[in-house]
Amino acid sequence: MQLWNQRRGISVDENGDPLPSRCCSLDDVYDARRVAEELGFPFYVLNLEKEFERDVVQPFVNSYLNGETPIPCVACNSRLKFASLDKLAASLGCEKVATGHYARVDFDEATNRYRLLRGRDPQKDQSYFLWELTQDQLSRALFPLGELSKSDARQAARNNHLAVAEKKESQEICFVPDGDYSGFIDRYLESEQQTARLPGEGEIVTTNGNVIGRHSGIHRYTIGQRRGIGIADAKPLYVLGVEPTSNRIIVGYDDELLSNEFSAAGVNWIALDSPAQPIRAEVRVRYRHTAAPATITPLPDSRARVTFDEPQRAITPGQATVFYRGDEVVGGGWIVKNSKQ
């Protein structure tokens, strides 16, 4: 898949040269072609630049401007890799779509459903990014790396003499390879001649409304952030909330980041049909969060309320929440409201 045109000059270094990417660059297209040649199978490039910008990049920008902290990789997986790519595969007569995700899928005859499972390697598990997949998509999904560790995968590539065996990996969002999200938003809106949408300076306030400083744009802040606030206090200050309507940043202390409850929208149930009663599961609120026991109460319009047994830190609107029972993904949704906001 060709997803992002690096030559647009939005993600560049100080010399104006495109920053290296591990997903969307031309080098990745060449690497994929070379592997296809080495292993002897047909190679196609599916240009999804337009769809990627519409379904991933623009929602990413809008989410930050709305005071959220988005995770675009979920949308990319479900709306591009397992939608557009899946359609292409079907048109070519392919029965399955194999990807490099560290996750597993199997079929449970007892429930007559496909199950999405964590990858065997807990350090590389990517099931968190796949919770939007439907039963139809899971029926055609193959995850060959799901049973392997990263070192196992590299060794398999070495054994097959593949040029990508030692290729470096990146943990950053592919179209923001330097990790400077606010800088990307500045440059993207400038390239689209939409700089009027950029939030200007505003107030930094405490939870009781006292103004203690100024910020340079709400898209530069996320809940739980400590660095970059620029205000001295007896104890470290953290971002507790981002208010787009008032253009304010709310700050406070670390213990104020704890919360028991939040709401989720766009909930997709994988392990079962939409339940009529509350269910128990272990819930993650971001990729590196350790799943914690919670009660999930279904609500109308594909929503749910999640109540943790113990308070969790920095529950952030815009992030994905994923529900687990052991290794199985029960479902997931988008965090839309922290009970303290």
Side-chain angles (χ1 to χ4, degrees), residues 218-267:
I218 60 168
H219 62 304
R220 306 186 194 283
Y221 300 86
T222 183
I223 291 175
Q225 179 177 330
R226 177 182 173 185
R227 296 181 182 274
I229 297 176
I231 299 173
D233 195 83
K235 295 193 298 182
L237 290 172
Y238 296 83
V239 175
L240 304 181
V242 180
E243 293 187 343
T245 53
S246 61
N247 195 30
R248 299 194 308 176
I249 302 297
I250 302 171
V251 298
Y253 303 121
D254 189 55
D255 60 347
E256 296 179 277
L257 285 168
L258 295 174
S259 180
N260 285 82
E261 188 174 282
F262 68 93
S263 296
V267 173

Side-chain angles (χ1 to χ4, degrees), residues 12-296:
V12 295
D13 60 19
E14 62 275 10
N15 299 318
D17 297 322
L19 289 166
S21 169
R22 295 292 174 221
C23 184
C24 299
S25 72
L26 289 175
D27 286 344
D28 296 297
V29 175
Y30 298 147
D31 285 342
R33 183 187 298 276
R34 186 172 178 183
V35 169
E37 291 174 350
E38 290 169 335
L39 294 180
F41 58 80
F43 178 75
Y44 304 86
V45 175
L46 182 61
N47 191 314
L48 293 175
E49 289 182 2
K50 181 179 178 180
E51 293 84 353
F52 183 73
E53 184 163 1
R54 181 193 65 209
D55 296 336
V56 179
V57 176
Q58 290 177 353
F60 170 86
V61 172
N62 294 338
S63 185
Y64 262 110
L65 297 181
N66 287 332
E68 301 172 335
T69 303
I71 179 165
C73 300
V74 174
C76 182
N77 279 311
S78 58
R79 298 166 198 175
L80 294 182
K81 293 177 183 174
F82 287 96
S84 298
L85 186 60
D86 192 43
K87 290 178 183 176
L88 174 68
S91 72
L92 295 173
C94 302
E95 297 179 0
K96 298 283 185 177
V97 172
T99 75
H101 291 96
Y102 287 85
R104 293 174 292 149
V105 63
D106 68 15
F107 184 72
D108 184 350
E109 292 186 357
T111 61
N112 197 36
R113 300 181 75 92
Y114 286 89
R115 301 194 306 160
L116 176 63
L117 306 168
R118 297 178 191 261
R120 290 289 187 195
D121 184 347
Q123 298 303 312
K124 298 301 296 182
D125 168 50
Q126 293 175 307
S127 60
Y128 174 86
F129 300 104
L130 302 172
W131 62 266
E132 279 196 313
L133 298 188
T134 66
Q135 283 291 305
D136 185 51
Q137 290 167 337
L138 286 171
S139 73
R140 291 189 296 278
L142 285 178
F143 302 125
L145 302 187
E147 300 287 345
L148 306 180
S149 67
K150 185 69 176 185
S151 59
D152 290 335
R154 287 196 184 278
Q155 188 57 50
R158 293 187 194 103
N159 293 344
N160 285 278
H161 310 291
L162 301 182
V164 295
E166 311 303 330
K167 184 172 180 175
K168 295 180 181 180
E169 59 181 316
S170 172
Q171 302 298 325
E172 299 295 344
I173 294 171
C174 66
F175 57 92
V176 194
D178 61 353
D180 181 8
Y181 307 139
S182 62
F184 173 85
I185 293 169
D186 291 340
R187 295 188 297 271
Y188 179 80
L189 291 178
E190 181 179 1
S191 74
E192 295 294 297
Q193 299 182 331
Q194 296 179 14
T195 53
R197 297 180 60 200
L198 283 169
E201 291 188 1
E203 297 173 339
I204 299 177
V205 303
T206 61
T207 52
N208 58 14
N210 290 337
V211 179
I212 60 173
R214 304 281 296 177
H215 67 77
S216 59
I218 60 168
H219 62 304
R220 306 186 194 283
Y221 300 86
T222 183
I223 291 175
Q225 179 177 330
R226 177 182 173 185
R227 296 181 182 274
I229 297 176
I231 299 173
D233 195 83
K235 295 193 298 182
L237 290 172
Y238 296 83
V239 175
L240 304 181
V242 180
E243 293 187 343
T245 53
S246 61
N247 195 30
R248 299 194 308 176
I249 302 297
I250 302 171
V251 298
Y253 303 121
D254 189 55
D255 60 347
E256 296 179 277
L257 285 168
L258 295 174
S259 180
N260 285 82
E261 188 174 282
F262 68 93
S263 296
V267 173
N268 179 51
W269 298 98
I270 296 178
L272 68 169
D273 291 329
S274 183
Q277 301 296 326
I279 69 167
R280 295 285 295 171
E282 301 88 49
V283 175
R284 292 165 77 179
V285 294
R286 55 188 167 273
Y287 179 44
R288 292 301 182 188
H289 175 242
T290 299
T295 299
I296 306 162

Side-chain angles (χ1 to χ4, degrees), residues 258-261 280 289 292-294 307-313 315:
L258 295 174
S259 180
N260 285 82
E261 188 174 282
R280 295 285 295 171
H289 175 242
T307 306
F308 285 106
D309 294 359
E310 300 290 339
Q312 302 297 306
R313 187 179 185 276
I315 300 172

